Amino acid sequence: MKILLSALLMVFFHAKAQEDLVNVSQVLKLMGTRFEITVVAQNEEIGYININEAISEIKRIEKLISSWDEGSETSKINRNAGIRPVVVSRELFGLIQRAIGISKITDGAFDISYASIDSVWKFNGEMTKMPSPEAIRESVQKVGYGKIVLDQTKSTVFLPEKGMKIAFGALGKGYAADRAKALLVSKEVIGGIINASGDLTTWGTKYSGEKWMVGITNPLDKTKVFSWLPVIESAVATSGNYEKFLLFKGQKYSHIIDPRTGYPTQGIQSATVFAKNAELCDALATAVFVMGKDAGVHLINQLDGVEVVLIDDDNKILTSSGILLDTFEK
Ligand code: ADP
Ligand code: MG
């Protein structure tokens, strides 16, 4: 009888614990972008404690990788371009190594050394006309992931030419989301979603047991969601030209630049990539944008566990082979 009672009590407590779970969310600006962090927790207080841990982790990563922060390892590498190799943490070394890996599979469409082009194209409303072809040609001189010298044993990074520069604008948010998730998983947070302005990663389920759903923005009207998809233990990232772009003589130029030519990419309005981690999604979404629709979809079809949905300039939807198109035609 006693045994039965304690068994019943356990069931009761278990059921109660499930019932008591809540989703706790916080929106804030980190890494210059809007983050929304949601966790499943026993109560609000615990939820906010966990969210604070995630925030500290994202701030730590920003301090490490930001090319705007003079004190970051990235800035140190950039300051020493053409001068000397810089010893960096294993963490940054690994991130750079993986970024170069993406450059290799995308034939340089994705390139963390694109950053020296930044001085030519300004997406803050300052520009009133196209830069000259000479300035554009000049701007790509310093670009080239192949020139970056890595020394695994010494953990050093060397940019061999003065003026070379690296930056993580195209995958940093994804990386931060991955790390924040990993930290919360290690603290036994059973479910959550780290959303960096649409680049996001999920684990577990909502407190109710329902799947996390992700809305893909309609590039024709960014206030509208164009399709809702379940995202289970995985990540999504979107690169779109609806947020930052330039208009010259009615032509739209995106903020994603082909590092090989120095010109902004054209042809795609948005590319959404699905994969296991957000860093990869983020980098590949940018890469697909540069590669163009056919080459982009072709690349994604060759990668295991990676899918893409893109919308071209004629509002046509293209997908990789693992995506059922009718999801998007509703
Ligand atoms: P967002 O989500 O802010 O639109 P993306 O992930 O699409 O960002 O990356 C765009 C940013 O990446 C640009 O603002 C720039 O900093 C950087 N970038 C632009 N072109 C490239 C490129 N070809 N390779 C790597 N990074 C790039
Ligand atoms: Mg990206």
Side-chain angles (χ1 to χ4, degrees):
M1 179 62 194
K2 213 172 165 191
I3 294 170
L4 184 68
L5 188 68
S6 57
L8 273 176
L9 273 176
M10 266 174 67
V11 170
F12 174 75
F13 277 124
H14 184 70
K16 188 166 183 310
Q18 285 295 321
E19 234 173 64
D20 271 0
L21 292 176
V22 287
N23 282 353
V24 185
S25 283
Q26 190 174 338
V27 174
L28 75 165
K29 202 164 178 186
L30 291 164
M31 305 179 90
T33 198
R34 179 187 189 272
F35 267 78
E36 182 170 6
I37 302 169
T38 304
V39 295
V40 175
Q42 286 75 6
N43 57 49
E44 276 210 357
E45 200 185 335
I46 295 177
Y48 283 119
I49 292 173
N50 287 324
I51 287 175
N52 277 330
E53 300 250 13
I55 294 171
S56 307
E57 178 65 356
I58 295 163
K59 286 185 176 161
R60 183 188 70 77
I61 290 163
E62 183 175 15
K63 271 195 102 52
L64 177 72
I65 71 175
S66 167
S67 46
W68 301 106
D69 184 335
E70 283 291 312
S72 73
E73 290 190 359
T74 303
S75 293
K76 199 165 172 203
I77 295 170
N78 290 340
R79 265 200 309 278
N80 283 288
I83 305 173
R84 66 176 70 86
V86 172
V87 179
V88 298
S89 60
R90 296 312 306 180
E91 183 177 6
L92 192 77
F93 192 89
L95 184 65
I96 294 173
Q97 228 173 7
R98 294 193 299 279
I100 293 176
I102 303 278
S103 294
K104 286 181 181 156
I105 62 167
T106 61
D107 246 332
F110 176 90
D111 194 330
I112 51 167
S113 73
Y114 85 92
S116 53
I117 302 176
D118 268 6
S119 50
V120 178
W121 300 95
K122 301 242 181 300
F123 296 92
N124 56 5
E126 253 174 44
M127 282 180 79
T128 49
K129 60 177 183 17
M130 283 278 279
S132 70
E134 294 74 37
I136 292 169
R137 214 175 309 121
E138 176 65 28
S139 76
V140 290
Q141 296 296 313
K142 304 288 176 192
V143 178
Y145 68 92
K147 301 185 213 174
I148 303 173
V149 183
L150 299 183
D151 186 324
Q152 175 97 39
T153 20
K154 292 189 185 140
S155 196
T156 58
V157 182
F158 182 41
L159 306 180
E161 293 171 21
K162 239 193 151 40
M164 272 186 89
K165 212 170 134 190
I166 58 168
F168 298 95
L171 85 170
K173 282 183 297 179
Y175 176 64
D178 286 339
R179 297 308 311 164
K181 167 182 164 179
L183 181 85
L184 293 178
V185 168
S186 79
K187 305 250 173 224
E188 281 159 22
V189 176
I190 59 169
I193 177 161
I194 315 275
N195 185 346
S197 299
D199 297 358
L200 60 90
T201 185
T202 75
W203 73 104
T205 62
K206 295 182 195 172
Y207 78 97
S208 56
E210 291 166 288
K211 295 173 187 136
W212 298 113
M213 299 294 283
V214 171
I216 300 191
T217 307
N218 181 347
L220 306 180
D221 180 352
K222 63 180 176 180
T223 62
K224 292 212 175 87
V225 166
F226 147 92
S227 182
W228 286 95
L229 294 174
V231 180
I232 306 158
E233 306 295 335
S234 61
V236 185
T238 300
S239 281
N241 71 358
Y242 43 85
E243 270 166 2
K244 269 196 260 173
F245 56 86
L246 295 168
L247 266 178
F248 296 126
K249 299 187 178 146
Q251 273 275 11
K252 205 167 175 179
Y253 296 89
S254 91
H255 71 303
I256 297 175
I257 291 158
D258 189 331
R260 299 159 299 192
T261 61
Y263 281 86
T265 55
Q266 287 178 292
I268 296 178
Q269 298 194 62
S270 88
T272 301
V273 172
F274 302 81
K276 270 280 162 234
N277 68 67
E279 174 191 328
L280 185 65
C281 291
D282 197 357
L284 287 176
T286 306
V288 165
F289 227 90
V290 175
M291 294 175 83
K293 49 189 177 182
D294 296 332
V297 171
H298 183 70
L299 168 76
I300 300 293
N301 278 338
Q302 291 174 311
L303 302 176
D304 251 0
V306 186
E307 301 295 341
V308 68
V309 175
L310 54 86
I311 300 166
D312 73 6
D313 277 348
D314 301 322
N315 303 329
K316 252 184 56 200
I317 300 165
L318 287 93
T319 67
S320 54
S321 50
I323 299 233
L324 298 172
L325 230 164
D326 55 351
T327 323
F328 292 91
E329 285 175 341
K330 281 171 193 159

